[in-house]
């Protein structure tokens, strides 16, 4: 079997399976030899920012000289991006080798009448198998959807759990209120295991704190009073930490997202808990400054940014990061199960935009371009241009840039497609 065939098999898994109960995932892991028990787990859930928090934790753990596995989703360009060991995504050869091992175990399960793991469960099984084989000391795991019923939640005794900001997303699966969604995210909290969470709204805070209290889990809220944003310089956003543990130094991130210092602060407080007096904040500072987290207010060409904002709260965070007053250009697409009308309304209300360009993403859930155009024209009098081909849409915004900043957002699928397009043209 070739690597490409392995990837194609995984992509086709949704065609012949359905969501399984956590008990099934535990059986699956047992068939794999319970690899998830061979390392310390930092488990992260949330609506927005969980990928960034995972990336920050991974970078700082590596700065401490530890061996680290990182499991995140979705991938932007290549499936291997989901499984990272010591800062490098696994090779095609390693991916194929682990895939074949997992597939053999899955076939054994099916022979016993057990259902096939889902797309996400299969990749999770591959990730923890890869981490166990590599002998990592720590694994940073990002939940896929929700938390309570997520495959990653079958890790019974993580070292720590973390919950990033909570917002309205995946409401068909998680509930239509912030409290209901927070309940699903708080499902990763374990008895007596510390949980750190981002201060979002009173409703979600209350749910998380109650769940932690019920389980006797030490609970720490990370609010905006834990840090102060100092400004943006040389494409880096600077901030200071209030707690004396971090010293009287300025921290900076290789990013201009106004929402990122909060994510970094959540990761820092987790690191402080894990290492306490043995931690090296100066090493963490350099690790955070050097880290470039793809797809989050990432400058891919001069004054051309991609941002993975794909729900209303993420768009609100994006808007806080865009300089006020400057005229810009927006390239937008979305999937049909998002509240794209409110996302569009937010953009139109709060940005000085010369024109909007709509394109189509390569996904069966893609929102129709005519529908997106109708909504934009409902909320703005600025020109709305439709380009079915991403290549044509991207060429159009570049040709008409005229010194303005271009922001591409609305879907992580769009971000991945643009990154693939720009990398193939280099």
């Amino acid at each position: 079997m070739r690597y490409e065939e392995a990837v194609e098999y995984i992509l086709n898994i949704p065609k012949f399976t359905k969501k399984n109960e956590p008990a099934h995932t535990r059986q699956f892991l047992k068939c794999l030899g319970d690899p998830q028990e061979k390392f310390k787990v930092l488990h992260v859930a949330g609506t927005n920012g969980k990928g960034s928090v995972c990336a920050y934790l991974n970078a700082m753990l590596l700065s401490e000289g530890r061996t680290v596995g990182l499991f995140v989703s979705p991938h932007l360009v290549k499936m291997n991006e989901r499984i990272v060991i010591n800062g490098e995504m696994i090779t095609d050869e390693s991916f194929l080798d682990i895939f074949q091992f997992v597939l053999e175990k899955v076939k054994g399960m099916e022979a016993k009448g057990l259902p096939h793991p889902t797309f996400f469960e299969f990749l999770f099984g591959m990730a923890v198998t890869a981490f166990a084989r590599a002998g990592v000391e720590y694994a940073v795991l990002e939940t896929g959807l929700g938390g309570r019923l997520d495959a990653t939640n079958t890790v019974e005794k993580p070292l720590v759990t973390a919950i990033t900001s909570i917002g309205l997303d995946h409401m068909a699966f998680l509930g239509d209120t912030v409290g209901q969604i927070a309940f699903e995210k708080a499902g990763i909290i374990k008895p007596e295991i510390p949980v750190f969470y981002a201060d979002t709204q009173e409703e979600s805070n209350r749910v998380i704190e109650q769940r932690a209290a019920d389980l006797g889990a030490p609970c720490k809220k990370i609010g905006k009073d834990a840090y102060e944003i100092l400004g943006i310089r040389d494409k880096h956003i600077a901030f200071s930490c209030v707690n004396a543990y971090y010293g009287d130094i300025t921290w900076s991130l290789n990013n201009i997202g106004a929402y990122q210092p909060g994510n970094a602060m959540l990761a820092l407080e987790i690191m402080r808990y894990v290492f306490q007096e043995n931690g090296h904040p100066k090493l963490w500072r350099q690790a955070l400054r050097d880290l470039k987290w793809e797809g989050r207010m990432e400058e891919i060409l001069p004054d051309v940014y991609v941002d993975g904002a794909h729900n209303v709260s993420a768009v609100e965070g994006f808007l806080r990061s865009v300089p006020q007053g400057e005229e810009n250009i927006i390239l937008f697409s979305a999937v049909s199960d998002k509240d794209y009308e409110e996302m569009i309304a937010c953009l139109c209300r709060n940005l000085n935009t010369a024109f909007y360009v709509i394109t189509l993403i390569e996904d069966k859930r893609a929102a129709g371009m005519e529908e997106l155009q109708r909504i934009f024209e409902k909320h703005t009098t600025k020109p709305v241009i439709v380009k079915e081909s991403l290549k044509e849409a991207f060429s159009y915004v570049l040709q008409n840039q005229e010194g303005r900043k271009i922001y591409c957002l609305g879907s992580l699928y769009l971000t991945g497609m643009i990154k693939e397009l720009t990398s193939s043209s280099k």
Side-chain angles (χ1 to χ4, degrees):
M1 178 178 279
R2 297 180 297 111
Y3 165 81
E4 292 78 11
E5 293 173 311
V7 170
E8 188 64 23
Y9 180 94
I10 295 170
L11 289 172
N12 281 312
I13 287 176
K15 296 179 181 177
F16 53 89
T17 191
K18 59 180 179 59
K19 172 69 176 174
N20 297 304
E21 295 294 323
H24 174 272
T25 306
R26 284 190 282 271
Q27 288 178 301
F28 173 43
L29 292 174
K30 188 173 182 179
C31 290
L32 298 177
D34 281 323
Q36 79 284 359
E37 296 181 357
K38 295 178 171 59
F39 38 76
K40 301 170 186 175
V41 169
L42 287 72
H43 194 194
V44 183
T47 303
N48 295 308
K50 58 184 185 292
S52 296
V53 169
C54 287
Y56 293 146
L57 287 170
N58 179 65
M60 289 189 283
L61 286 167
L62 289 173
S63 78
E64 287 283 351
R66 307 307 172 113
T67 56
V68 190
L70 173 65
F71 177 62
V72 292
S73 62
H75 61 277
L76 296 179
V77 178
K78 191 169 185 175
M79 197 174 285
N80 305 41
E81 297 168 25
R82 295 170 179 254
I83 306 173
V84 177
I85 298 174
N86 293 332
E88 299 289 338
M89 68 179 182
I90 61 173
T91 64
D92 292 355
E93 293 76 17
S94 180
F95 187 98
L96 178 58
D97 182 46
I98 294 165
F99 167 82
Q100 290 176 318
F101 169 79
V102 173
L103 181 60
E104 180 184 353
K105 299 300 182 182
V106 167
K107 290 187 181 300
M109 291 171 58
E110 289 185 303
K112 297 176 182 177
L114 295 172
H116 193 292
T118 64
F119 171 91
F120 184 80
E121 292 161 359
F122 196 102
L123 283 166
F124 173 57
M126 285 183 61
V128 291
T129 298
F131 299 159
R133 287 187 178 185
V136 305
E137 183 180 359
Y138 293 92
V140 182
L141 304 182
E142 178 187 3
T143 57
L145 176 65
R148 183 174 63 91
L149 300 177
D150 193 74
T152 59
N153 204 30
T154 51
V155 174
E156 295 181 354
K157 293 184 178 180
L159 180 64
V160 64
T161 61
I163 302 173
T164 65
S165 66
I166 304 293
L168 297 174
D169 197 11
H170 299 294
M171 291 182 285
F173 304 99
L174 304 180
D176 55 11
T177 70
V178 168
Q180 289 172 337
I181 292 172
F183 173 79
E184 295 297 329
K185 308 292 184 182
I188 72 166
I189 300 174
K190 301 295 188 300
E192 301 179 0
I193 303 296
V195 56
F196 295 78
Y197 78 94
D199 181 8
T200 308
Q201 299 180 35
E202 183 179 343
E203 184 180 359
S204 57
N205 292 353
R206 187 167 57 248
V207 171
I208 293 167
E209 290 170 359
Q210 185 59 57
R211 177 65 177 169
D214 291 344
L215 295 174
C219 182
K220 182 165 187 179
K221 176 172 67 177
I222 312 302
K224 290 182 172 58
D225 57 349
Y227 63 93
E228 179 183 359
I229 295 178
L230 304 176
I232 297 173
R233 183 177 179 183
D234 299 328
K235 307 296 174 69
H236 284 67
I237 189 165
F239 67 100
S240 61
C241 302
V242 173
N243 195 290
Y245 175 88
Y246 302 104
D248 185 21
I249 57 176
T250 297
W251 298 72
S252 68
L253 304 172
N254 189 4
N255 196 286
I256 63 168
Y259 49 83
Q260 289 295 13
N263 292 328
M265 197 69 239
L266 180 58
L268 280 166
E269 286 293 88
I270 293 168
M271 289 291 291
R272 182 159 75 98
Y273 163 75
V274 172
F275 289 95
Q276 299 181 32
E277 70 275 3
N278 297 316
H280 299 86
K282 289 185 178 179
L283 296 178
W284 306 349
R285 178 175 179 260
Q286 191 61 46
L288 292 182
R289 179 175 176 79
D290 293 343
L291 176 66
K292 187 174 183 180
W293 186 226
E294 295 189 353
R296 281 72 173 180
M297 285 302 281
E298 178 189 2
E299 188 176 26
I300 56 171
L301 292 171
D303 285 335
V304 179
Y305 296 84
V306 291
D307 189 80
H310 58 282
N311 54 51
V312 175
S313 53
V315 168
E316 290 171 345
F318 159 79
L319 290 168
R320 291 193 295 271
S321 306
V322 177
Q324 295 299 306
E326 296 181 3
E327 189 178 58
N328 53 70
I329 297 167
I330 295 293
L331 174 58
F332 186 90
S333 194
V335 294
S336 58
D337 59 359
K338 302 294 180 180
D339 185 4
Y340 51 77
E341 172 141 17
E342 184 56 29
M343 292 163 64
I344 291 168
C346 282
L347 291 173
C348 295
R349 282 196 304 264
N350 296 287
L351 281 184
N352 178 15
T353 305
F355 60 89
Y356 300 88
V357 177
I358 298 166
T359 192
L360 189 67
I361 56 174
E362 296 172 356
D363 187 82
K364 62 184 180 182
R365 296 181 297 139
M369 292 186 297
E370 290 182 0
E371 169 72 357
L372 294 177
Q373 181 183 22
R374 180 189 67 78
I375 295 171
F376 267 106
E377 291 177 344
K378 173 182 172 183
H379 293 283
T380 183
T381 57
K382 298 295 179 67
V384 180
I385 296 98
V386 176
K387 301 287 184 183
E388 184 170 347
S389 157
L390 173 62
K391 186 174 183 180
E392 187 181 2
F394 197 64
S395 295
Y396 183 88
V397 294
L398 291 179
Q399 289 166 7
N400 293 276
Q401 186 170 9
E402 298 176 0
R404 295 172 289 217
K405 289 185 173 66
I406 297 170
Y407 297 101
C408 312
L409 72 155
S411 168
L412 279 166
Y413 295 103
L414 176 66
T415 297
M417 288 170 61
I418 292 173
K419 288 184 67 66
E420 188 171 20
L421 177 66
T422 54
S423 63
S424 64
S425 62
K426 290 179 181 177

